[in-house]
Amino acid sequence: SNSLFIEYYGKLIFHIPYLNLRFDNNSATFELFNIQGRKLISKKVANNEQFYLQYLNNGMYLYNIYIDGNKQSGKLIKE
């Protein structure tokens, strides 16, 4: 099974302007939605790629990550 996590996963909060994705595979698809369900980002990402999210307002967001057909979903909070 592929391990996959978002940095700061325990708190689901990020204060710095980027999010770092780390996983075992070469690539994944990352989607980010606002709390109303509007898709803000959908892109193929490389392992350890950083997303600069300074343009996002503070608040809660929902994400999906797809690797080899497996989906992981969660919430993250920008403060």
Side-chain angles (χ1 to χ4, degrees), residues 3-72:
S3 65
L4 167 69
F5 63 97
I6 290 186
E7 213 165 21
Y8 318 113
Y9 187 73
K11 290 183 290 190
L12 296 171
I13 292 173
F14 63 102
H15 300 270
I16 53 178
Y18 66 83
L19 182 65
N20 193 34
L21 299 176
R22 284 186 272 170
F23 45 86
D24 289 340
N25 274 31
N26 293 328
S27 66
T29 300
F30 176 78
E31 296 177 338
L32 188 70
F33 301 84
N34 67 15
I35 204 68
Q36 288 80 34
R38 187 170 140 251
K39 190 182 289 186
L40 305 175
I41 296 172
S42 180
K43 70 176 288 203
K44 202 147 178 100
V45 294
N47 187 17
N48 228 29
E49 183 167 341
Q50 291 182 340
F51 279 87
Y52 286 87
L53 300 176
Q54 64 269 29
Y55 61 88
L56 292 179
N57 293 325
N58 289 353
M60 186 184 300
Y61 295 86
L62 307 173
Y63 68 84
N64 295 325
I65 301 173
Y66 298 90
I67 297 180
D68 289 340
N70 297 314
K71 174 179 163 183
Q72 176 173 319

